[in-house]
Short mmCIF file of all heavy atoms in Angstrom, two decimals:
data_model
loop_
_atom_site.label_atom_id
_atom_site.label_comp_id
_atom_site.label_asym_id
_atom_site.label_seq_id
_atom_site.Cartn_x
_atom_site.Cartn_y
_atom_site.Cartn_z
N VAL A 51 40.20 -35.51 -56.08
CA VAL A 51 41.32 -35.52 -57.19
C VAL A 51 42.11 -34.25 -57.13
O VAL A 51 41.43 -33.17 -56.88
CB VAL A 51 40.60 -35.72 -58.50
CG1 VAL A 51 41.58 -35.67 -59.59
CG2 VAL A 51 39.81 -36.99 -58.58
N GLY A 52 43.38 -34.33 -57.29
CA GLY A 52 44.21 -33.17 -57.30
C GLY A 52 45.03 -33.04 -56.10
O GLY A 52 44.87 -33.77 -55.12
N TYR A 53 46.06 -32.15 -56.17
CA TYR A 53 47.01 -32.01 -55.10
C TYR A 53 46.74 -30.62 -54.26
O TYR A 53 47.33 -30.53 -53.29
CB TYR A 53 48.40 -31.90 -55.66
CG TYR A 53 48.91 -33.27 -56.15
CD1 TYR A 53 48.83 -33.61 -57.55
CD2 TYR A 53 49.39 -34.23 -55.35
CE1 TYR A 53 49.31 -34.79 -58.01
CE2 TYR A 53 49.74 -35.49 -55.77
CZ TYR A 53 49.69 -35.69 -57.12
OH TYR A 53 50.16 -36.94 -57.59
N ARG A 54 45.93 -29.88 -54.79
CA ARG A 54 45.64 -28.54 -54.02
C ARG A 54 45.04 -28.87 -52.65
O ARG A 54 44.35 -29.89 -52.47
CB ARG A 54 44.91 -27.63 -54.87
CG ARG A 54 43.46 -27.96 -55.00
CD ARG A 54 42.70 -26.84 -55.70
NE ARG A 54 41.31 -27.08 -55.25
CZ ARG A 54 40.29 -27.06 -56.03
NH1 ARG A 54 40.47 -27.09 -57.40
NH2 ARG A 54 39.08 -27.22 -55.63
N TYR A 55 45.07 -27.92 -51.81
CA TYR A 55 44.65 -28.08 -50.54
C TYR A 55 43.01 -28.17 -50.59
O TYR A 55 42.36 -27.48 -51.30
CB TYR A 55 44.97 -26.91 -49.55
CG TYR A 55 44.30 -26.95 -48.18
CD1 TYR A 55 44.80 -27.83 -47.22
CD2 TYR A 55 43.26 -26.12 -47.89
CE1 TYR A 55 44.18 -27.94 -45.98
CE2 TYR A 55 42.71 -26.14 -46.62
CZ TYR A 55 43.26 -27.07 -45.69
OH TYR A 55 42.60 -27.23 -44.44
N ASN A 56 42.51 -29.21 -49.87
CA ASN A 56 41.06 -29.48 -49.75
C ASN A 56 40.32 -29.53 -51.10
O ASN A 56 39.45 -28.76 -51.39
CB ASN A 56 40.40 -28.39 -48.91
CG ASN A 56 39.12 -28.81 -48.23
OD1 ASN A 56 38.67 -30.05 -48.43
ND2 ASN A 56 38.38 -27.96 -47.83
N PRO A 57 40.71 -30.54 -51.96
CA PRO A 57 40.06 -30.64 -53.23
C PRO A 57 38.56 -31.13 -53.08
O PRO A 57 38.31 -31.69 -52.05
CB PRO A 57 40.87 -31.69 -54.03
CG PRO A 57 41.73 -32.37 -53.04
CD PRO A 57 41.83 -31.47 -51.79
N ARG A 58 37.76 -30.76 -53.99
CA ARG A 58 36.33 -31.09 -53.91
C ARG A 58 36.05 -32.55 -53.89
O ARG A 58 36.62 -33.25 -54.83
CB ARG A 58 35.60 -30.42 -55.07
CG ARG A 58 34.02 -30.60 -54.93
CD ARG A 58 33.32 -29.74 -56.09
NE ARG A 58 33.58 -28.26 -55.88
CZ ARG A 58 32.94 -27.55 -55.06
NH1 ARG A 58 32.11 -27.96 -54.26
NH2 ARG A 58 33.20 -26.24 -55.06
N PRO A 59 35.36 -33.16 -53.01
CA PRO A 59 35.05 -34.59 -52.93
C PRO A 59 34.02 -34.96 -53.97
O PRO A 59 33.23 -34.09 -54.40
CB PRO A 59 34.57 -34.86 -51.57
CG PRO A 59 34.19 -33.57 -51.03
CD PRO A 59 34.90 -32.50 -51.79
N ARG A 60 34.13 -36.19 -54.50
CA ARG A 60 33.10 -36.64 -55.44
C ARG A 60 32.74 -38.10 -55.23
O ARG A 60 33.58 -38.85 -54.69
CB ARG A 60 33.59 -36.55 -56.91
CG ARG A 60 34.73 -37.50 -57.21
CD ARG A 60 35.22 -37.46 -58.54
NE ARG A 60 36.11 -38.52 -58.87
CZ ARG A 60 36.99 -38.46 -59.71
NH1 ARG A 60 37.20 -37.38 -60.44
NH2 ARG A 60 37.87 -39.52 -59.87
N LEU A 61 31.55 -38.49 -55.30
CA LEU A 61 31.08 -39.88 -55.27
C LEU A 61 31.49 -40.57 -56.46
O LEU A 61 31.27 -40.20 -57.57
CB LEU A 61 29.58 -39.95 -55.05
CG LEU A 61 29.02 -39.30 -53.69
CD1 LEU A 61 27.48 -39.40 -53.68
CD2 LEU A 61 29.61 -40.04 -52.57
N ASP A 62 32.05 -41.87 -56.28
CA ASP A 62 32.56 -42.67 -57.28
C ASP A 62 31.64 -43.76 -57.78
O ASP A 62 31.90 -44.29 -58.85
CB ASP A 62 33.97 -43.21 -56.99
CG ASP A 62 35.04 -42.11 -56.82
OD1 ASP A 62 34.89 -40.93 -57.41
OD2 ASP A 62 35.87 -42.28 -56.01
N LYS A 63 30.73 -44.17 -56.95
CA LYS A 63 29.78 -45.25 -57.34
C LYS A 63 28.41 -44.89 -56.81
O LYS A 63 28.23 -44.10 -55.90
CB LYS A 63 30.29 -46.59 -56.67
CG LYS A 63 31.54 -47.12 -57.35
CD LYS A 63 31.77 -48.62 -56.96
CE LYS A 63 33.08 -49.09 -57.67
NZ LYS A 63 33.26 -50.49 -57.48
N SER A 64 27.46 -45.58 -57.36
CA SER A 64 26.04 -45.25 -56.94
C SER A 64 25.79 -45.79 -55.63
O SER A 64 26.43 -46.56 -54.94
CB SER A 64 25.15 -45.98 -57.97
OG SER A 64 25.11 -47.36 -57.76
N GLU A 65 24.60 -45.39 -55.03
CA GLU A 65 24.05 -45.79 -53.78
C GLU A 65 23.87 -47.39 -53.70
O GLU A 65 24.31 -47.90 -52.75
CB GLU A 65 22.65 -45.13 -53.60
CG GLU A 65 22.07 -45.35 -52.25
CD GLU A 65 20.73 -44.60 -52.18
OE1 GLU A 65 20.73 -43.36 -52.13
OE2 GLU A 65 19.66 -45.28 -52.31
N ASN A 66 23.38 -47.95 -54.83
CA ASN A 66 23.16 -49.40 -54.71
C ASN A 66 24.60 -50.09 -54.80
O ASN A 66 24.66 -51.18 -54.19
CB ASN A 66 22.32 -49.84 -56.03
CG ASN A 66 20.83 -49.29 -55.76
OD1 ASN A 66 20.42 -49.13 -54.59
ND2 ASN A 66 20.15 -49.24 -56.87
N GLU A 67 25.52 -49.62 -55.49
CA GLU A 67 26.80 -50.29 -55.58
C GLU A 67 27.45 -50.18 -54.15
O GLU A 67 28.34 -51.03 -53.88
CB GLU A 67 27.64 -49.61 -56.69
CG GLU A 67 27.25 -49.93 -58.08
CD GLU A 67 28.08 -49.08 -59.04
OE1 GLU A 67 27.97 -47.87 -59.09
OE2 GLU A 67 28.81 -49.68 -59.91
N THR A 68 27.16 -49.16 -53.46
CA THR A 68 27.89 -48.92 -52.14
C THR A 68 27.26 -49.86 -51.01
O THR A 68 27.96 -50.28 -50.10
CB THR A 68 27.67 -47.44 -51.77
OG1 THR A 68 28.39 -46.67 -52.75
CG2 THR A 68 28.35 -47.12 -50.43
N VAL A 69 26.01 -50.22 -51.16
CA VAL A 69 25.34 -50.88 -50.02
C VAL A 69 26.01 -52.11 -49.59
O VAL A 69 26.31 -52.26 -48.33
CB VAL A 69 23.80 -51.18 -50.35
CG1 VAL A 69 23.30 -52.20 -49.49
CG2 VAL A 69 22.93 -50.01 -50.56
N PRO A 70 26.53 -53.07 -50.41
CA PRO A 70 27.12 -54.27 -49.85
C PRO A 70 28.40 -54.00 -49.17
O PRO A 70 28.80 -54.63 -48.17
CB PRO A 70 27.28 -55.15 -51.15
CG PRO A 70 27.11 -54.25 -52.19
CD PRO A 70 26.37 -53.19 -51.82
N CYS A 71 29.21 -52.96 -49.57
CA CYS A 71 30.44 -52.67 -48.99
C CYS A 71 30.32 -51.93 -47.74
O CYS A 71 31.09 -52.15 -46.71
CB CYS A 71 31.30 -51.87 -49.99
SG CYS A 71 31.51 -52.76 -51.55
N PHE A 72 29.29 -51.00 -47.64
CA PHE A 72 29.03 -50.33 -46.48
C PHE A 72 28.56 -51.39 -45.35
O PHE A 72 29.04 -51.40 -44.22
CB PHE A 72 27.84 -49.40 -46.68
CG PHE A 72 27.52 -48.52 -45.47
CD1 PHE A 72 28.01 -47.33 -45.19
CD2 PHE A 72 26.52 -48.94 -44.59
CE1 PHE A 72 27.72 -46.59 -44.16
CE2 PHE A 72 26.16 -48.31 -43.46
CZ PHE A 72 26.69 -47.07 -43.24
N ARG A 73 27.74 -52.29 -45.75
CA ARG A 73 27.25 -53.38 -44.92
C ARG A 73 28.40 -54.27 -44.41
O ARG A 73 28.50 -54.48 -43.18
CB ARG A 73 26.16 -54.23 -45.65
CG ARG A 73 25.62 -55.46 -44.90
CD ARG A 73 24.59 -56.10 -45.58
NE ARG A 73 23.44 -55.38 -45.95
CZ ARG A 73 22.40 -55.06 -45.02
NH1 ARG A 73 22.45 -55.65 -43.88
NH2 ARG A 73 21.40 -54.29 -45.41
N ALA A 74 29.30 -54.61 -45.26
CA ALA A 74 30.47 -55.38 -44.90
C ALA A 74 31.36 -54.68 -43.78
O ALA A 74 31.82 -55.28 -42.84
CB ALA A 74 31.31 -55.69 -46.15
N HIS A 75 31.45 -53.40 -44.02
CA HIS A 75 32.26 -52.55 -43.09
C HIS A 75 31.60 -52.60 -41.71
O HIS A 75 32.24 -52.95 -40.67
CB HIS A 75 32.36 -51.08 -43.53
CG HIS A 75 33.02 -50.32 -42.58
ND1 HIS A 75 34.40 -50.28 -42.23
CD2 HIS A 75 32.55 -49.27 -41.79
CE1 HIS A 75 34.64 -49.45 -41.30
NE2 HIS A 75 33.48 -48.77 -41.01
N PHE A 76 30.34 -52.32 -41.59
CA PHE A 76 29.70 -52.23 -40.31
C PHE A 76 29.36 -53.66 -39.75
O PHE A 76 29.35 -53.80 -38.53
CB PHE A 76 28.51 -51.30 -40.35
CG PHE A 76 28.87 -49.93 -40.15
CD1 PHE A 76 28.84 -49.08 -41.28
CD2 PHE A 76 29.31 -49.47 -38.99
CE1 PHE A 76 29.29 -47.71 -41.08
CE2 PHE A 76 29.74 -48.13 -38.81
CZ PHE A 76 29.77 -47.31 -39.84
N GLU A 77 29.26 -54.66 -40.53
CA GLU A 77 29.14 -56.00 -39.94
C GLU A 77 30.45 -56.42 -39.19
O GLU A 77 30.38 -57.02 -38.15
CB GLU A 77 28.80 -56.98 -41.01
CG GLU A 77 27.27 -56.94 -41.41
CD GLU A 77 26.92 -57.81 -42.60
OE1 GLU A 77 27.78 -58.57 -43.09
OE2 GLU A 77 25.72 -57.76 -42.89
N GLU A 78 31.63 -56.00 -39.85
CA GLU A 78 32.82 -56.27 -39.14
C GLU A 78 32.98 -55.45 -37.91
O GLU A 78 33.42 -55.92 -36.85
CB GLU A 78 34.02 -55.93 -40.21
CG GLU A 78 35.36 -56.28 -39.56
CD GLU A 78 35.69 -57.72 -39.31
OE1 GLU A 78 35.07 -58.66 -39.91
OE2 GLU A 78 36.61 -58.06 -38.55
N GLN A 79 32.57 -54.16 -37.94
CA GLN A 79 32.65 -53.36 -36.80
C GLN A 79 31.85 -53.82 -35.63
O GLN A 79 32.20 -53.98 -34.42
CB GLN A 79 32.16 -51.94 -37.16
CG GLN A 79 33.06 -51.11 -38.03
CD GLN A 79 34.41 -50.88 -37.30
OE1 GLN A 79 34.51 -50.06 -36.44
NE2 GLN A 79 35.45 -51.60 -37.91
N LEU A 80 30.53 -54.27 -35.91
CA LEU A 80 29.63 -54.75 -34.92
C LEU A 80 30.10 -56.12 -34.48
O LEU A 80 29.82 -56.57 -33.29
CB LEU A 80 28.25 -54.80 -35.43
CG LEU A 80 27.68 -53.46 -35.76
CD1 LEU A 80 26.26 -53.51 -36.46
CD2 LEU A 80 27.55 -52.60 -34.47
N LYS A 81 30.74 -56.98 -35.25
CA LYS A 81 31.34 -58.24 -34.81
C LYS A 81 32.34 -57.96 -33.80
O LYS A 81 32.41 -58.68 -32.71
CB LYS A 81 31.86 -59.06 -35.92
CG LYS A 81 32.38 -60.39 -35.53
CD LYS A 81 32.87 -61.18 -36.81
CE LYS A 81 34.41 -60.69 -36.93
NZ LYS A 81 35.03 -61.43 -37.93
N ASN A 82 33.18 -56.90 -33.99
CA ASN A 82 34.28 -56.72 -33.07
C ASN A 82 33.88 -55.87 -31.83
O ASN A 82 34.38 -56.05 -30.74
CB ASN A 82 35.32 -55.89 -33.76
CG ASN A 82 36.12 -56.77 -34.87
OD1 ASN A 82 36.15 -57.92 -34.72
ND2 ASN A 82 36.67 -56.08 -35.82
N TYR A 83 32.96 -54.96 -31.94
CA TYR A 83 32.59 -54.01 -30.96
C TYR A 83 31.14 -54.04 -30.45
O TYR A 83 30.88 -53.36 -29.50
CB TYR A 83 32.89 -52.58 -31.40
CG TYR A 83 34.39 -52.43 -31.84
CD1 TYR A 83 34.53 -52.25 -33.16
CD2 TYR A 83 35.46 -52.68 -31.03
CE1 TYR A 83 35.91 -52.17 -33.71
CE2 TYR A 83 36.72 -52.52 -31.52
CZ TYR A 83 36.92 -52.31 -32.90
OH TYR A 83 38.29 -52.15 -33.36
N LYS A 84 30.33 -54.88 -30.94
CA LYS A 84 28.86 -55.10 -30.54
C LYS A 84 28.06 -53.84 -30.89
O LYS A 84 27.00 -54.11 -31.61
CB LYS A 84 28.87 -55.46 -29.13
CG LYS A 84 29.70 -56.57 -28.63
CD LYS A 84 29.46 -57.82 -29.50
CE LYS A 84 30.40 -58.91 -28.98
NZ LYS A 84 31.05 -59.59 -30.05
#
């Protein structure tokens, strides 16, 4: 958040909320690139 150079990153969702989206990302990657 913010416009200054290199603003501090923050996590927006919990680990459990991230799991299905992370999985969807890498399932697509592995489907395309093995």
Side-chain angles (χ1 to χ4, degrees):
V51 179
Y53 289 99
R54 68 170 208 238
Y55 178 71
N56 201 11
R58 185 172 298 280
R60 69 175 188 211
L61 294 176
D62 295 331
K63 292 194 178 185
S64 73
E65 183 179 288
N66 290 338
E67 291 173 296
T68 301
V69 167
C71 304
F72 182 92
R73 180 175 297 277
H75 173 71
F76 277 106
E77 284 175 0
E78 182 68 20
Q79 292 295 291
L80 294 172
K81 181 180 90 176
N82 290 334
Y83 307 110
K84 308 303 179 231

